[in-house]
Amino acid sequence: MTKSELTSPGLMFFSVLSLGLMLARPSRMPAEGVADAEFAALQAEAKESFKKGVVPFVKTYCSECHSNRRTKGGLNFEPALKNPGESSASRKWMQAFANVNAHDMPPDDSDQPAAEERELFLQSLGKIKYLSAKDPGPFVIRRLTKVEYGNTLHDLFGVDPAVAEELPDEVAGQGYLNSLSPMQTEQYLGIANEVLDRIFATPEKPPTEWQNRLLGKPPTPGTDEREAARKVARSLARKAYRRPPSEAEVATLTGVFDLGRSNQLDYQGSLRLMLKALLVSPQFLYITPAKEAEAGKKIVPLDDYQLASRLSYLLWATMPDEELSALADAGQLHEPAVLKAQVKRMLAHPRARALFDGFGSQWLGLGSLEGKTFDPKKFPQMTPALRTAMYDEARLFFDSIVRGNLSVVAFVASDYTFLNETLAKVYSLEKDVTGPKMRKVKLTNANRGGILGMPGILATTSFPNRTSAVNRGVWVLEQVLGEHVPPAPPNVPALEKQDQKKVANLTLRQRTELHRTNAVCANCHKILDPIGFGLENFDAIGRWRDKDDTGGAIDAAGELPGGKRFSTPGELKSIIAARKDDLARNLTEKLMAYALCRQLEGYDKIVVDQLMKTIAQDGYRMQTLITEIVTSYPFLNRRVQD
């Protein structure tokens, strides 16, 4: 087992499949609007449970290696013991839960807790979230992403979004970067000049349609051109800032116009300079509030303009349209019925494709597919055309579930997909599907259908020259079921380091099972291997096979904790699809984190518990899941003071 086989971005911790992650699955389900008295009772219970079940366990079995005196693995529990409900402690408790649950900790050469102690510790950790105060979490005033920036320029000025192509890509999993380097500032200035060159006519030609639309007619002789420029500044800023500008902001833009006139630029030239300043301003590049919060307030609702932007950039990856903006102007967008109606409208629009390009591809791990390396001798089929078709299959499938308002279970258990002739060859359906156009295809093979048997995903979880049961097992646990997988222990030899003569006639499964005799690896492998080898009938690019690369017969049989047995990918899919609540909770947590641009923290988990009630009651439908997130407490509010 190599470290690269067991780790991938975002995969941090491990928990046993049969128990699940108790930190996210409480014994009670308090509502966001739970009565203060009931919430106080839950907090009191959590404090007592922490005192009896966590503190003595950590001091007895963990502090020797994980304290101020010693921080083995960089883990120190002393601050978390003092302030268990703070967000900084959350990751430590998750890691503690995962390792103790998997019996990886305490180490084998240390004193071991009794089964009752271990169980009490895990149950007590599951209540720690109740120690968090009601809080929407840190609010991220973030910069527009590269895609959002290009789309916004298109909606404002009609330019091709590709005008932003030279900006660097965001790094997935690293959050939103809010600083601007000198190089990025230069890039934004260059893009602003390019946009202005496209919408402004040369001096000897009449104004373009976009000039007239944005700037209006030039003032007639004898009128106050500065006042005319001020009106243009206010109008442009309302569109570009996605909210009404303040008087100070209008004055700043008018001052740029004055600067142009004082440097002998004509009226149009001075407006161009003003528009350039607007395009590189923080108010345009960042999503900002419309007004300052009331003094002394720690938590405030989002104003309607900020809500419009947060919603629009989530679902469409661009600025609010006229309808959203009008509702914000009228102060109506925050009304629950209005907000829910807007979500439904926006999800029905073709622009909602952005939800997959931004969130869906990141969730499924398809962002790396285009640049992923494959052995050209073994897989010459992996052409750019096939990679594009693989991505489009997942996008159209995701879109069909959202638009059709299907259950999230359909992501795993479905009997259709989208293919063209290029991708149909991977499915051995080239006789039924011809031509380059992607179209919906009903599948009769129970092993196909859904994301577990989707070639693009199977390819991204493989190595360049072979499949990886570990990578696929990790992907299912982490991305589909919401489990957490720890990094591989250090100094574990790779499969390729095995004595090649001894393993020459062994299948990949047999080699991995031989490898798992290493006690350090056994705990992880016993959970990962059954899932990964349940998908071993699919090769590294997703084609069906009955024999592996050694010529040995594929053995896809396995057993999951709880005694669930399977012998084919289709049977494995059925087992996973039956875990409806886990599928929905995982997708809810991942989409909420994406919507908030941050990791979920203590009180967020309580909110998710409440959302799950409504989502479950409506059959885990996708639009209900999205609407519940958009109307949730963390989405609608912001913390303005720490």
Side-chain angles (χ1 to χ4, degrees), residues 30-36 39-40 43 85 128-138 298-300 598 601-607 610 631-634 636-641:
E32 171 208 322
V34 70
D36 290 342
F39 188 58
Q43 285 194 321
I128 283 181
K129 62 186 170 186
Y130 301 136
L131 300 180
S132 303
K134 184 175 181 179
D135 184 355
K298 292 185 177 181
I299 296 171
V300 298
R598 61 172 177 78
E601 299 179 348
Y603 192 78
D604 299 324
K605 300 288 187 178
I606 299 175
V607 172
Q610 176 61 19
T631 56
S632 69
Y633 176 74
L636 297 177
N637 294 273
R638 64 187 180 102
R639 183 205 299 164
V640 293
Q641 293 182 18

Side-chain angles (χ1 to χ4, degrees), residues 49 106 141 183 216 254 269 528 547 552:
S49 180
I141 296 180
M183 179 179 293
T254 308
L528 300 174
K547 297 181 179 181

Side-chain angles (χ1 to χ4, degrees), residues 328-344:
D329 285 336
Q332 297 176 343
L333 185 59
H334 68 281
E335 297 174 8
V338 173
L339 186 55
K340 289 179 180 180
Q342 286 303 302
V343 173
K344 185 175 182 178

Side-chain angles (χ1 to χ4, degrees), residues 253-522:
L253 291 173
T254 308
V256 176
F257 172 85
D258 294 339
L259 181 64
R261 295 298 279 144
S262 66
N263 281 274
Q264 310 308 313
L265 294 179
D266 62 12
Y267 178 79
Q268 290 286 344
S270 297
L271 287 184
R272 175 183 169 123
L273 184 65
M274 182 178 74
L275 184 52
K276 181 177 180 179
L278 182 148
L279 288 178
V280 296
S281 68
Q283 292 89 337
F284 175 63
L285 298 177
Y286 292 76
I287 300 174
T288 57
K291 56 185 178 182
E292 293 296 323
E294 184 181 340
K297 293 282 188 180
K298 292 185 177 181
I299 296 171
V300 298
L302 264 64
D303 61 68
D304 275 27
Y305 298 104
Q306 203 169 18
L307 178 57
S309 288
R310 174 172 260 192
L311 178 62
S312 187
Y313 282 105
L314 170 64
L315 300 183
W316 285 356
T318 191
M319 62 187 291
D321 65 353
E322 289 185 4
E323 185 168 334
L324 271 180
S325 296
L327 287 170
D329 285 336
Q332 297 176 343
L333 185 59
H334 68 281
E335 297 174 8
V338 173
L339 186 55
K340 289 179 180 180
Q342 286 303 302
V343 173
K344 185 175 182 178
R345 175 183 75 89
M346 295 174 73
L347 289 176
H349 196 282
R351 284 180 171 179
R353 166 184 174 164
L355 187 61
F356 175 80
D357 292 333
F359 167 73
S361 64
Q362 179 177 309
W363 166 46
L364 298 175
L366 287 171
S368 62
L369 179 61
E370 182 180 3
K372 186 174 176 65
T373 300
F374 288 90
D375 185 334
K377 293 182 179 179
K378 294 189 71 172
F379 304 109
Q381 302 86 354
M382 283 301 289
T383 61
L386 179 57
R387 293 172 194 252
T388 298
M390 286 178 171
Y391 183 91
D392 287 345
E393 176 190 22
R395 175 180 59 80
L396 291 167
F397 181 68
F398 182 95
D399 190 60
S400 72
I401 293 175
V402 173
R403 287 181 187 276
N405 197 20
L406 304 182
S407 167
V408 298
V409 178
F411 281 114
V412 175
S414 64
D415 62 356
Y416 70 92
T417 192
F418 295 83
L419 305 174
N420 63 6
E421 183 175 357
T422 301
L423 186 55
K425 294 176 182 177
V426 177
Y427 281 82
S428 298
L429 293 174
E430 59 270 26
K431 293 182 180 179
D432 303 316
V433 181
T434 59
K437 184 179 179 180
M438 299 290 291
R439 81 291 308 264
K440 187 176 182 179
V441 176
K442 185 173 178 60
L443 301 170
T444 57
N445 184 345
N447 295 306
R448 291 289 194 182
I451 55 179
L452 269 64
M454 198 166 278
I457 293 167
L458 293 164
T460 58
T461 52
S462 294
F463 287 136
N465 62 344
R466 66 170 174 86
T467 60
S468 171
V470 173
N471 281 352
R472 288 177 176 178
V474 166
W475 183 86
V476 172
L477 285 171
E478 181 74 23
Q479 301 306 112
V480 181
L481 293 172
E483 304 290 344
H484 296 268
V485 181
N491 303 318
V492 176
L495 288 181
E496 284 72 18
K497 297 294 184 180
Q498 292 175 327
D499 187 326
Q500 297 304 304
K501 292 182 180 180
K502 291 182 178 180
V503 302
N505 296 319
L506 299 181
T507 65
L508 182 62
R509 177 165 190 155
Q510 291 168 334
R511 290 176 62 187
T512 305
E513 289 174 343
L514 178 66
H515 182 69
R516 67 187 279 183
T517 57
N518 184 329
V520 177
C521 306

Side-chain angles (χ1 to χ4, degrees), residues 185-291:
T185 302
E186 287 295 324
Q187 288 177 311
Y188 281 119
L189 284 167
I191 293 170
N193 283 329
E194 188 173 347
V195 169
L196 295 173
D197 286 342
R198 295 184 186 187
I199 64 175
F200 273 84
T202 54
E204 65 275 7
K205 293 184 178 180
T208 66
E209 178 186 348
W210 278 97
Q211 274 180 268
N212 290 332
R213 186 183 304 178
L214 292 168
L215 310 179
K217 295 182 179 180
T220 57
T223 58
D224 188 344
E225 67 171 25
R226 191 174 188 276
E227 182 57 30
R230 184 178 180 83
K231 290 180 180 178
V232 171
R234 187 179 301 279
S235 172
L236 286 175
R238 170 63 185 89
K239 296 183 177 72
Y241 297 170
R242 304 164 288 272
R243 57 170 176 77
S246 67
E247 290 302 318
E249 289 167 339
V250 173
T252 297
L253 291 173
T254 308
V256 176
F257 172 85
D258 294 339
L259 181 64
R261 295 298 279 144
S262 66
N263 281 274
Q264 310 308 313
L265 294 179
D266 62 12
Y267 178 79
Q268 290 286 344
S270 297
L271 287 184
R272 175 183 169 123
L273 184 65
M274 182 178 74
L275 184 52
K276 181 177 180 179
L278 182 148
L279 288 178
V280 296
S281 68
Q283 292 89 337
F284 175 63
L285 298 177
Y286 292 76
I287 300 174
T288 57
K291 56 185 178 182

